[in-house]
Amino acid sequence: MNTWTARLENPLSARLRDPATTGAFGILLGAFAAFLAIPPIEARTVTWPILFGIVAAALGIWTVTRGRRRLGWGAVAAGLLGIGLGILATRSSTGNLESAFDATLVAQTLGFSTPLVFGAIGGMFSERSGVVNIGLEGMMLMGAFWGVYGADKGGSWAVGLLVAMGVGGLLALVYAFFAIHLRADQIVGGTAVNFLAVGITGYFFIELYNNNPIHNGVSLLPNVHVPGLPVNPDNPHGFVDFLGQAVGDLSILTWAGLALVILAYVVLFKTPIGLRIRACGEHPRAADTVGINVYVIRYGCVILSGMLAALGGIYLSEGPQGNGTFIFNMTNGRGFIALAAMIFGNWRPAGAAAAALLFGFSSALALKLQVYSQSAGTLFQILPYVLTLIAVAGVIGRTVAPAADGKPYAKQ
Amino acid sequence: MSDPGPSPTPEEAAETGTLAASIALKQRAGGIIVPVVTVVFAFVMSFIIVAATQHSVHTALVVFKEIFLGSGLNWLAHPTTNTFTSISAYNLSQTLLQTTPLILTGLAVAFAFRCGMFNIGGNGQYLVGLIVANWLGVDFAGLNPFLHILLCMSAGTLAAAAYAGIAGVLKATVGAHEVISTIMLNWIAYWTASWLFGAGGALQNSTSPTNPVSNQVSPGARLPDFWGKQGFQGLHVGIFVSLAAVVVFWILLNRTTLGYEVRAVGFNPDAAAYGGINVKKNFIRAMAISGAFAGLAGTLDMLGGAQNYQVGQLDIPFIQVGFIGIAVALLGRNTAVGTLLGALLFGGLLYGSFHGLGSSSVIDPTLASNLTYIIQGLVVLFVGADVLILYVWNSRKKARRRPRGKPAERVEATT
């Protein structure tokens, strides 16, 4: 109760040695090391980024030895990343750097993150209630196709959103029935969902559109123009133009995704319904004993996850990058990256969103670097999977899944 | 993401969700009936989809007839035309060509299942085999063909085994769930292949550097066709390797100490540990063997059929092979013979839907090829759900056995 007063009474030196402080400082330094190498400062020697990176890593190790493993390893990683970026950046020419690290990188990072955020938050709800959702990829793919279909036939992107959520929810309902009522293995069921989605979307894409690109003029998801910011400045200069390029013209779903993260946090951790969801995921028997209907909660969460994943999918086809087209199997693993982001974020909304942003950043960087080196760009696509593999290996703190995640629950 | 709890019998274990135990139970109870019913049900469902979207039952009948004829299985009814000029013989050879890797990816999934693990990473391991076979098949040109093929196959298999072993080691040492790690390994392999074979990659085509294609495997390393026509891709000897793998799988699992340990761990890791079996070692070993099967499939495809790898949209159906292995294994009840039959079914479906309608005006062939995915999805969905029948069956038996008002034991078992 009186921890903050107790902390104030401690001497300053003790507070500085607190692992939380050093860890956070290490991460900051690591970020700073990377920042040094890119515009506007652009250190032309490799010394400074490396120096800051090493200090950051050292602070990280300190933090680890003081017990805050997750924060500490984060700082180490940040420091190493800063070094790597610093070396990379100072080795290429200034002209290349300016076109790679500019405001559109921010916009693209947010854009690439959007479907991942929706998928990851959706998966989080499902897994927090105790149902593993490997089928995120399939639900996302369904949203991508049926969203375009709805927008095309309904004449409005809003119809597309509703159709996508409906179909995503429907597929999730089928999965939920098998996973919850029939107590089928959830990994098997999720795999089936992924197959089904590829088949159904592929089949109906040919049936309804004859495998041709969907014609132009489909109502697209609108972009939100932030008042006061220039949308596409001719000669970008200064901070306002930077902001305008970065966040002045983002899709409505990108903003909705950011809002969703906050909403998901509030719902999961600050409301009774969130407590019930978590209870079902941790100890369904106990939840059942106190009168929570485990099946209803799980059904609701799985269907919600299907709807959210479908929203992530519609962003791919109806968002600024998709432009109202559908391509066979267009999600191409994004549902699995969303799953990875959720795990990386330790089944928490903020963590999942941060991981989604990091993965989105690596995708955006991959796209940017493709111009200079195709192979370097491709390597950045691997980053999310490698990071997640390292995370589940327990190097950067241990990820802890909900205790009853993936276990079917049999009512008495 | 379950930690299998202690459970005395397979029946009990099935309720707690130990995968291998529940499968063993199903094997005893369902036998061959459940897979057959599942397949029939999946076909009926997809039949309804075709009939509804084409507005004609007749069309749907023709579609499925053509898929059957396209698979070439009708050749078996009148094998007198033992010449390759017969269209059904050609179709059958292509079906068997599709079946060859599916047998192995099916065995890969099945072997891990028998150890209680879900190897969803068949794709990644298949790709590793593919990459290594291409690399060594392009290099070392001029080596003795037999040695060259042996080198490519064994190196690809070992590499895939090591790759899958990563997931096994992670599970054994830090308890990372193999589903998550194999999914990640899948995509790491996928992007690594894109990187290696893509523009500027290390193994990219040396003659056309802008084309994201690998080099052709050197002629000496190609698996010879034994049933085919000059100028066409025929059935290569890889099918015998696959069939041999089925035998190896059966012997390994049923007639060796290793197989006994693997199955014991699959039934109940705690009981196995109590019995003196090193559970962690078996996790790693089973995963590596499982990866070896999938990697072997990749080497056969590279040396026999594909001979090069193309980055882009085209590779997506290509690398589905690992995923179809899941359906094959589940349908085959994770047994050697069952997997063989399951692979034949999906091989026929893959080629039959692709080619059976290729020359047809009844239905768009690309439309039909998507039917394969739908049927595959339905099969996996319902194979997983036969638990329903068994639970009803099992709980009825239990209710008779157990006196009423004493459900407390099951409370502990399910949480």
Side-chain angles (χ1 to χ4, degrees):
Chain A
M1 292 303 141
N2 56 354
T3 43
W4 70 272
T5 48
R7 238 191 253 163
L8 270 184
E9 281 160 18
N10 285 343
L12 185 69
S13 59
R15 269 188 285 152
L16 277 181
R17 272 209 312 271
D18 183 47
T21 320
T22 52
F25 192 52
I27 290 177
L28 267 180
L29 267 185
F32 185 58
F35 178 68
L36 273 181
I38 59 179
I41 296 178
E42 282 175 40
R44 298 313 309 166
T45 62
V46 81
T47 325
W48 290 107
I50 287 188
L51 194 67
F52 279 107
I54 289 172
V55 175
L59 279 173
I61 291 165
W62 167 275
T63 311
V64 172
T65 55
R66 288 299 179 279
R68 296 288 292 258
R69 292 176 49 110
R70 178 177 297 271
L71 197 64
W73 284 116
V76 173
L80 295 180
L81 204 70
I83 295 171
L85 275 178
I87 293 170
L88 265 181
T90 45
R91 281 182 134 203
S92 55
S93 78
T94 317
N96 279 359
L97 276 179
E98 259 163 7
S99 46
F101 294 90
D102 59 5
T104 56
L105 186 68
V106 178
Q108 275 173 349
T109 297
L110 289 169
F112 278 115
S113 306
T114 303
L116 306 182
V117 166
F118 276 100
I121 299 289
M124 193 192 65
F125 270 106
S126 172
E127 302 219 351
R128 279 286 185 174
S129 77
V131 182
V132 169
N133 199 344
I134 297 280
L136 281 178
E137 169 94 0
M139 295 166 188
M140 211 180 240
L141 190 60
M142 289 291 260
F145 175 71
W146 294 105
V148 178
Y149 177 74
D152 182 25
K153 300 295 172 199
S156 156
W157 58 271
V159 178
L161 275 187
L162 288 177
V163 170
M165 284 174 78
V167 175
L170 198 67
L171 187 64
L173 176 68
V174 173
Y175 170 61
F177 177 68
F178 277 85
I180 300 167
H181 255 106
L182 302 189
R183 277 179 266 149
D185 185 84
Q186 295 174 6
I187 309 290
V188 174
T191 312
V193 163
N194 289 336
F195 286 145
L196 273 179
V198 173
I200 290 172
T201 53
Y203 186 91
F204 282 97
F205 181 45
I206 294 161
E207 176 68 26
L208 298 169
Y209 291 99
N210 209 10
N211 216 5
N212 295 320
I214 292 164
H215 59 82
N216 286 331
V218 177
S219 165
L220 295 177
L221 292 171
N223 283 6
V224 174
H225 300 298
V226 178
L229 288 179
V231 168
N232 225 339
D234 289 330
N235 188 14
H237 197 73
F239 187 63
V240 176
D241 281 357
F242 180 90
L243 264 189
Q245 273 188 312
V247 297
D249 194 33
L250 294 175
S251 170
I252 188 167
L253 270 190
T254 304
W255 292 109
L258 293 176
L260 176 71
V261 176
I262 299 164
L263 193 69
Y265 173 75
V266 172
V267 168
L268 258 188
F269 293 103
K270 302 290 173 201
T271 64
I273 190 90
L275 185 63
R276 285 176 195 172
I277 291 172
R278 286 181 289 137
C280 291
E282 297 293 342
H283 203 304
R285 177 74 58 205
D288 201 359
T289 315
V290 295
I292 297 169
N293 192 331
V294 178
Y295 281 14
V296 167
I297 296 273
R298 285 191 171 179
Y299 265 101
C301 283
V302 174
I303 291 169
L304 179 67
S305 84
M307 288 176 164
L308 291 177
L311 282 183
I314 196 177
Y315 179 84
L316 296 174
S317 57
E318 282 271 282
Q321 285 145 11
N323 267 326
T325 50
F326 177 80
I327 304 164
F328 176 75
N329 198 14
M330 78 184 297
T331 43
N332 199 15
R334 283 189 187 79
F336 289 117
I337 304 189
L339 191 76
M342 177 202 72
I343 295 162
F344 202 81
N346 214 2
W347 287 266
R348 294 180 145 267
L357 277 174
L358 184 68
F359 296 169
F361 175 71
S362 85
S363 291
L365 210 55
L367 193 74
K368 288 275 188 188
L369 292 178
Q370 245 171 21
V371 184
Y372 310 111
S373 162
Q374 181 89 30
S375 50
T378 311
L379 274 186
F380 269 91
Q381 305 273 18
I382 308 181
L383 203 61
Y385 304 112
V386 175
L387 284 177
T388 307
L389 196 62
I390 293 171
V392 293
V395 179
I396 311 176
R398 271 301 274 283
T399 50
V400 185
D405 203 8
K407 293 181 185 169
Y409 174 69
K411 265 188 192 168
Q412 291 302 304
Chain B
M1 327 273 116
S2 54
D3 249 339
S7 32
T9 66
E11 278 85 353
E12 290 284 341
E15 296 201 340
T16 63
T18 316
L19 207 55
S22 77
I23 281 160
L25 170 68
K26 275 181 262 170
Q27 238 154 358
R28 273 199 265 162
I32 197 164
I33 296 161
V34 177
V36 170
V37 169
T38 304
V39 170
V40 169
F41 200 75
F43 270 93
V44 167
M45 290 276 281
S46 51
F47 181 85
I48 292 170
I49 292 174
V50 178
T53 53
Q54 306 297 319
H55 309 293
S56 159
V57 176
H58 177 71
T59 311
L61 278 172
V62 174
V63 164
F64 279 90
K65 188 183 157 216
E66 293 217 6
I67 289 179
F68 176 72
L69 292 180
S71 72
L73 290 172
N74 54 331
W75 183 83
L76 296 173
H78 47 87
T80 44
T81 47
N82 198 1
T83 53
F84 202 65
T85 45
S86 148
I87 191 76
S88 60
Y90 176 75
N91 284 346
L92 186 63
S93 75
Q94 297 304 302
T95 291
L96 292 176
L97 196 63
Q98 299 270 2
T99 309
T100 304
L102 290 182
I103 294 172
L104 289 166
T105 51
L107 290 179
V109 177
F111 199 87
F113 261 131
R114 295 297 278 270
C115 193
M117 287 188 293
F118 199 148
N119 177 12
I120 205 168
N123 268 354
Q125 294 136 23
Y126 171 87
L127 270 176
V128 168
L130 210 68
I131 293 169
V132 171
N134 182 269
W135 170 37
L136 296 177
V138 172
D139 290 359
F140 297 104
L143 202 68
N144 176 310
F146 181 73
L147 285 180
H148 199 175
I149 289 172
L150 204 65
L151 172 75
C152 292
M153 273 170 51
S154 48
T157 306
L158 285 178
Y163 196 66
I166 297 173
V169 169
L170 286 183
K171 186 184 175 72
T173 53
V174 295
H177 199 280
E178 77 280 0
V179 167
I180 302 300
S181 38
T182 49
I183 286 177
M184 298 305 140
L185 288 171
N186 269 349
W187 289 97
I188 292 171
Y190 173 81
W191 286 110
T192 306
S194 304
W195 176 60
L196 286 172
F197 298 136
L203 298 178
Q204 196 245 339
N205 199 310
S206 39
T207 47
S208 62
T210 49
N211 209 359
V213 177
S214 76
N215 279 312
Q216 288 271 329
V217 170
S218 99
R222 284 183 198 167
L223 292 173
D225 293 357
F226 71 94
W227 192 29
K229 194 162 64 174
Q230 197 69 39
F232 287 89
Q233 171 69 51
L235 184 59
H236 58 74
V237 293
I239 183 114
F240 296 119
V241 178
S242 284
L243 293 175
V246 174
V247 179
V248 168
F249 176 92
W250 187 84
I251 292 173
L252 205 58
L253 213 49
N254 297 309
R255 289 290 178 272
T256 65
T257 322
L258 186 155
Y260 175 79
E261 289 192 1
V262 161
R263 283 181 295 137
V265 171
F267 276 130
N268 190 330
D270 296 309
Y274 183 72
I277 292 172
N278 187 340
V279 174
K280 290 181 173 183
K281 192 177 93 184
N282 274 289
F283 279 151
I284 299 171
R285 204 159 58 174
M287 210 62 199
I289 292 172
S290 165
F293 280 120
L296 185 59
T299 63
L300 292 184
D301 266 9
M302 178 52 72
L303 302 177
Q307 280 148 25
N308 67 3
Y309 181 89
Q310 198 167 2
V311 180
Q313 286 293 321
L314 281 175
D315 55 11
I316 292 169
F318 195 35
I319 61 159
Q320 285 287 344
V321 171
F323 274 138
I324 301 174
I326 298 170
V328 168
L330 285 171
L331 196 61
R333 291 255 176 259
N334 306 309
T335 60
V337 178
T339 304
L340 181 65
L341 294 176
L344 193 61
L345 175 80
F346 277 104
L349 206 54
L350 271 179
Y351 186 73
S353 60
F354 163 73
H355 186 266
L357 301 147
S359 55
S360 162
S361 56
V362 184
I363 186 172
D364 189 336
T366 38
L367 190 66
S369 69
N370 280 298
L371 269 180
T372 312
Y373 290 114
I374 296 181
I375 293 174
Q376 190 185 327
L378 289 169
V379 163
V380 174
L381 196 61
F382 290 113
V383 160
D386 64 23
V387 179
L388 169 73
I389 310 159
L390 295 154
Y391 270 125
V392 172
W393 184 72
N394 200 31
S395 56
R396 258 185 52 234
K397 210 173 64 181
K398 269 209 143 122
R400 263 185 276 132
R401 225 168 36 204
R402 194 179 54 216
R404 289 181 76 77
K406 213 190 132 200
E409 282 158 13
R410 269 181 72 195
V411 172
E412 287 310 304
T414 35
T415 46

